[in-house]
């Protein structure tokens, strides 16, 4: 997909990776709607603030109505409650799923007809190496990202006949607020991840592996599950 003159909607554009994606899209010549629950927090030069709460169906539908010229949807907004699947608060598990799975699903369903009507385009889902690696301590988040990986694969097949490509971005630790407690030498720069993601969209990559962690974890999928310790 050619990004120059594309019309992009980037959720979670007020900070972190979303902010870098929005800024770099502008640099590449795209028109960009920077979507956030609080649009006033989107202050990237050249970006049009757009109200979007991915857990609110009415908000999603209104965003699709406003951004009626969209040709690219980037489902970047996400959370990590830190809940475990056995001991965590079920409400927190549901919150991870609502934001990280049902949110991108609802946004894709709302924007697919828009993108198709504008001649086709692309969807990018921002996932994680934890789509494939599921540590107990991050069980809720990992489950939501695994579900979003399945979402990416299934919608890729479903939307292809409508002229819409679907890419999934996987990354380990990234230098954003979500990984604030991780040592700096274990994190990749968000600007670098954004650049890789946009290049992947341009070349139509179905999966974009943005760092060594995601590449390593993907390679281990063919291995046998490890037995429980103890």
């Amino acid at each position: 997909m050619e990004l120059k003159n594309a019309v992009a909607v980037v959720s979670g554009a007020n900070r972190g990776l979303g902010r870098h994606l929005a800024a770099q899209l502008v640099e590449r010549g795209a028109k960009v709607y920077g979507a956030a629950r609080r649009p006033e927090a989107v202050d990237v030069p050249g970006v049009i603030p757009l109200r979007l709460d991915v857990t609110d169906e009415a908000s999603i539908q209104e965003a699709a109505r406003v951004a009626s010229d969209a040709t690219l949807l980037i489902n970047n907004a996400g959370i990590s409650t830190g809940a475990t699947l056995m001991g965590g608060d079920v409400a927190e598990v549901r919150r991870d799923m609502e934001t990280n799975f049902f949110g991108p699903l609802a946004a894709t369903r709302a924007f697919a007809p828009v993108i198709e009507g504008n001649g086709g385009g692309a969807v990018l889902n921002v996932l994680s190496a934890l789509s494939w690696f599921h540590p107990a301590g991050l069980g809720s988040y990992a489950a939501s990202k695994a579900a979003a990986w399945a979402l990416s694969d299934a919608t890729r097949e479903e939307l292809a006949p409508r002229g819409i490509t679907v890419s999934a971005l996987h990354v380990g630790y990234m230098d954003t607020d979500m990984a604030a407690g991780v040592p700096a030498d274990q994190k990749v720069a968000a600007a670098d991840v954004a650049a890789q993601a946009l290049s992947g969209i341009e070349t139509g990559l179905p999966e974009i592996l943005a760092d060594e962690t995601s590449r390593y974890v993907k390679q281990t999928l063919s291995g046998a599950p490890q037995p429980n310790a103890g």
Side-chain angles (χ1 to χ4, degrees), residues 195-230:
Q196 291 184 68
L198 297 182
S199 294
I201 293 170
E202 286 188 315
T203 56
L205 287 178
E207 288 190 334
I208 302 159
L209 310 183
D211 62 352
E212 287 300 323
T213 298
S214 57
R215 287 187 283 272
Y216 172 77
V217 175
K218 180 65 183 295
Q219 289 173 353
T220 65
L221 286 179
S222 60
Q226 296 300 307
N228 293 333

Side-chain angles (χ1 to χ4, degrees), residues 71-90:
T71 58
L72 169 62
L73 170 66
I74 298 184
N75 287 313
N76 166 72
I79 62 168
S80 176
T81 65
T84 62
L85 292 177
M86 291 293 97
D89 187 334
V90 171

Side-chain angles (χ1 to χ4, degrees), residues 7 102 125:
V7 181
F102 286 107
N125 294 324

Side-chain angles (χ1 to χ4, degrees), residues 37-206:
R37 285 176 295 178
R38 293 174 48 251
E40 65 272 15
V42 178
D43 59 358
V44 181
V47 172
I48 303 166
L50 177 69
R51 184 181 182 277
L52 174 61
D53 180 346
V54 299
T55 65
D56 181 347
E57 180 66 27
S59 169
I60 294 169
Q61 293 297 329
E62 176 62 13
R65 186 193 68 79
V66 172
S68 60
D69 51 350
T71 58
L72 169 62
L73 170 66
I74 298 184
N75 287 313
N76 166 72
I79 62 168
S80 176
T81 65
T84 62
L85 292 177
M86 291 293 97
D89 187 334
V90 171
E92 295 291 82
V93 176
R94 291 184 184 279
R95 196 155 70 93
D96 276 333
M97 291 297 296
E98 288 291 341
T99 305
N100 299 339
F101 172 73
F102 286 107
L105 172 60
T108 301
R109 288 171 66 104
F111 276 94
V114 174
I115 296 172
E116 181 182 15
N118 290 323
V123 174
L124 173 70
N125 294 324
V126 177
L127 306 184
S128 169
L130 295 183
S131 306
W132 306 312
F133 174 58
H134 309 137
L138 290 169
S140 176
Y141 178 77
S144 70
K145 290 299 184 179
W149 181 38
L151 162 70
S152 302
D153 288 348
T155 56
R156 182 179 304 118
E157 180 179 340
E158 195 169 358
L159 293 177
R162 299 168 64 177
I164 302 172
T165 63
V166 178
S167 299
L169 171 66
H170 300 269
V171 63
Y173 291 122
M174 187 167 39
D175 192 11
T176 63
D177 293 346
M178 193 178 290
V182 177
D185 61 355
Q186 297 180 23
K187 294 185 285 191
V188 62
D192 291 343
V193 175
Q196 291 184 68
L198 297 182
S199 294
I201 293 170
E202 286 188 315
T203 56
L205 287 178

